[in-house]
Amino acid sequence: MNKSSSKKTEDVQSISNIDKIIHEPARLNIMAHLYVVDSADFLFLMRQTDLTFGNLSSHMSKLEDVGYIEIIKEFVGKKPHTMLRLTKKGRIAFEEYKKNMKQFFDGIPK
Amino acid sequence: MTEKMNLKEIEKKAWTSYFQDGLWDIYLGLLFFNMGINDLFEQFGEFRPISGIIIVFGGMMFLILGKKYITVPRLGLVKFGQKRQINAIKLSILILIAVVTTAILFFVPQQFQLSTDIPIRGIIISLLLFTIFTGMAYLLDFKRLYVYAIVFSVAMFLAEYIHEIFGRPTSGIIIFAIPGLIVMLIGFFHLIKFSKTYQKPTGAI
């Protein structure tokens, strides 16, 4: 009894610890794509995530506010270019999120 | 949610999206096409190699400029991680070894001909070509290259026999130019499809 109730508590705690910023589907999609590359521009992320410009922009702002991504505005030739990259904090947060989710799903009996 | 999210697949999809444009197909097809029509430039005498060099480097410029002005403005810009960068280095080494080996084989033909019935040089070159293309296909995750590997290596192997039957320049056209042209057409088909699928965005992003 003690073992199962402590396991239940652990499961509840692991799901409670889930990063709600990352957990939103669109932001999770963005974080996943940025995690597997070094950096990408806005257009690339739009194409890969199928998000609209406004949607992507809004989620990017939220991620930037918590320090998970950095937005680098630069010029390529004469054209303005926006590159996006996960910060170290963002990578750690994403890995933590992965770990917590895996822990939670692994705990579910088949 | 994490069970359905396969990060490896996400990275692979991002990488392979850059090959949807067909530009590599056009370039490789052009290289082979050039091999096939090279005998037609025999009349240029000592200037014959120059025509081949112009076509090869022209094709390379088309590839580079195509990526810059067609692909990136439609697909966006990305810098991949260390794994892909290491693969790019491996690929460069593979191509360098292949170029050097092929150059040696082409300039030392007699030593590879043990008998007229066994075209050793043809076998070695076609195996080499197969190895290079399949190596490229593996390192670049570019599946169409596996098919081109088979097509080009078989063509190279049959070259000796076709030369004997049809003579030059007809044999070159049959063995190299026609497959090269087909590969180029496949490339152009993908390029047109890519341009229609990914419209150039208006305004700054």
Side-chain angles (χ1 to χ4, degrees), chain B residues 75-93:
Chain B
L75 208 54
L77 194 61
V78 62
K79 291 176 190 170
F80 288 94
Q82 216 179 22
K83 181 199 156 202
R84 293 289 178 189
Q85 289 172 18
I86 289 168
N87 279 355
I89 293 168
K90 285 180 188 172
L91 182 64
S92 305
I93 294 169

Side-chain angles (χ1 to χ4, degrees), chain A residues 3-17:
Chain A
K3 259 191 184 175
S4 68
S5 61
S6 72
K7 178 77 176 68
K8 264 189 191 170
T9 312
E10 273 177 32
D11 289 343
V12 168
Q13 276 178 345
S14 75
I15 199 68
S16 303
N17 290 338

Side-chain angles (χ1 to χ4, degrees), chain A residues 37-95:
Chain A
V37 300
D38 181 74
S39 61
D41 71 359
F42 218 81
L43 176 61
F44 187 82
L45 281 171
M46 263 176 65
R47 296 291 192 214
Q48 297 299 312
T49 60
D50 270 334
L51 293 169
T52 61
F53 176 85
N55 218 353
L56 183 61
S57 188
S58 156
H59 289 298
M60 282 296 181
S61 297
K62 285 195 175 73
L63 289 169
E64 194 188 14
D65 287 343
V66 295
Y68 287 172
I69 62 163
E70 50 182 345
I71 297 177
I72 307 147
K73 290 187 192 288
E74 56 189 31
F75 279 88
V76 176
K78 288 180 184 175
K79 286 187 179 175
H81 221 83
T82 307
M83 293 297 282
L84 303 138
R85 183 187 290 140
L86 280 189
T87 58
K88 193 174 178 183
K89 183 182 175 185
R91 282 195 181 267
I92 292 168
F94 187 74
E95 279 159 12

Side-chain angles (χ1 to χ4, degrees), chain B residues 62-103:
Chain B
F62 175 77
L63 175 63
I64 293 168
L65 294 174
K67 287 289 180 191
K68 186 177 177 184
Y69 291 108
I70 299 172
T71 312
V72 172
R74 285 172 166 75
L75 208 54
L77 194 61
V78 62
K79 291 176 190 170
F80 288 94
Q82 216 179 22
K83 181 199 156 202
R84 293 289 178 189
Q85 289 172 18
I86 289 168
N87 279 355
I89 293 168
K90 285 180 188 172
L91 182 64
S92 305
I93 294 169
L94 177 69
I95 292 172
L96 183 67
I97 292 170
V99 166
V100 168
T101 312
T102 309

